[in-house]
Amino acid sequence: RQLCLLLNAENIFHSMADILLREEDLKFASTMVHTLNTILLTSSELFQLRNQLKDLKTPESRNLFCCLYRSWCHNPVTTVSLCFLTQNYKHAYDLIQKFGDLEVTVDFLTEVDKLVQLIECPIFTYLRLQLLDVKNNPYLIKALYGLLMLLPQSSAFQLLSHRLECVPNPELMQTADNSKTSSSGYKRPSASNIDYTELLQHFEKVQNKHLEARHQRAGRAEQLERRVVL
């Protein structure tokens, strides 16, 4: 985390992934991958890097994903979490299907449990909201059901089960999205003269300013804390 504050976070993770890919101690490699993944998913210092990976819009971000993926394969559950982060839901589902051929140990189930807890964290808010779009995210729902089937009857099972119960019925969503209003229903006056696209862009602009301000305050607080320690 400290290195990512001082140096380029993308380069650090790229270098660490390259080193771990050549690591011969498989237990150590798996532990390191799990630790790095936890830092990637939970540290405020890596917010920008998470955003780059989430969208995979640039060749650099796609290259980083492929590099991380090859090393993250040392840990199956961590690999799935990387696919969730990068919105590769079809591939996450394909990976979970392969779990049936793996040795399912207590440690393995513990990691699945932790992944379920992470899905409930603020970092994966976008993933939970995508559950509303059932039609366009079938593999996300299938992947989550796959995790559910891997888990024994536990608190994590109940947590994920309750989350999936919130997934709306596609038919009801289709009815809600239908622009035709029934004759008996209320029809609001036309608001076509309002530029909702511009309003949405303004909202994003203002929120980005708040985000930058929060990160600047957090950075100053970190520097002050280090000075006090020294």
Side-chain angles (χ1 to χ4, degrees):
R1 290 180 60 177
Q2 294 300 320
L3 279 173
C4 289
L5 277 174
L6 301 170
L7 303 172
N8 183 284
E10 184 179 339
N11 290 343
I12 290 169
F13 270 81
H14 207 300
S15 299
M16 294 288 277
D18 282 338
I19 292 166
L20 288 170
L21 194 58
R22 300 189 297 272
E23 178 58 51
E24 294 181 1
D25 186 340
L26 298 182
K27 178 65 176 174
F28 172 77
S30 177
T31 304
M32 277 299 297
V33 161
H34 177 73
T35 305
L36 287 170
N37 186 67
T38 303
I39 293 169
L40 175 63
L41 291 179
T42 60
S43 297
S44 58
E45 294 89 345
L46 295 169
F47 176 82
Q48 295 297 337
L49 186 60
R50 282 197 297 272
N51 269 1
Q52 291 173 35
L53 285 168
K54 186 174 78 172
D55 298 326
L56 295 179
K57 289 180 179 178
T58 64
E60 292 79 13
S61 62
R62 292 190 288 271
N63 181 48
L64 177 61
F65 165 71
C66 291
C67 178
L68 292 178
Y69 182 93
R70 289 185 175 89
S71 290
W72 264 223
C73 284
H74 281 298
N75 189 305
V77 180
T78 296
T79 312
V80 170
S81 71
L82 180 65
C83 289
F84 282 157
L85 174 65
T86 55
Q87 302 185 73
N88 283 301
Y89 302 134
K90 168 69 165 64
H91 193 69
Y93 173 70
D94 291 340
L95 284 171
I96 291 168
Q97 289 292 301
K98 297 286 185 186
F99 284 5
D101 300 325
L102 303 178
E103 182 186 6
V104 178
T105 63
V106 174
D107 288 342
F108 179 88
L109 291 174
T110 301
E111 291 192 13
V112 176
D113 189 299
K114 288 178 180 176
L115 176 56
V116 170
Q117 303 291 339
L118 271 176
I119 289 169
E120 293 297 317
C121 290
I123 292 153
F124 281 118
T125 300
Y126 66 91
L127 181 148
R128 298 196 301 275
L129 285 172
Q130 285 171 347
L131 291 172
L132 289 171
D133 191 358
V134 179
K135 184 179 179 182
N136 292 318
N137 294 296
Y139 285 105
L140 169 58
I141 296 168
K142 285 185 174 185
L144 293 178
Y145 269 111
L147 291 178
L148 187 68
M149 295 308 166
L150 285 169
L151 286 166
Q153 300 275 338
S154 60
S155 58
F157 178 92
Q158 296 297 331
L159 189 66
L160 185 53
S161 178
H162 289 157
R163 173 62 63 186
L164 287 168
E165 285 174 7
C166 297
V167 174
N169 186 319
E171 292 181 6
L172 291 176
M173 293 300 286
Q174 188 176 359
T175 304
D177 290 340
N178 194 341
S179 59
K180 293 180 180 179
T181 309
S182 64
S183 57
S184 60
Y186 168 74
K187 188 175 181 180
R188 60 176 286 174
S190 174
S192 58
N193 59 333
I194 297 175
D195 188 346
Y196 287 104
T197 303
E198 189 275 330
L199 291 177
L200 194 59
Q201 289 171 348
H202 176 74
F203 173 81
E204 291 173 352
K205 185 178 178 181
V206 172
Q207 287 302 310
N208 284 334
K209 285 182 179 178
H210 280 279
L211 182 64
E212 288 174 13
R214 281 198 298 271
H215 279 263
Q216 286 174 2
R217 288 197 298 270
R220 286 197 294 268
E222 287 258 1
Q223 290 176 358
L224 184 61
E225 196 174 307
R226 283 200 297 270
R227 284 176 189 168
V228 170
V229 171
L230 292 173

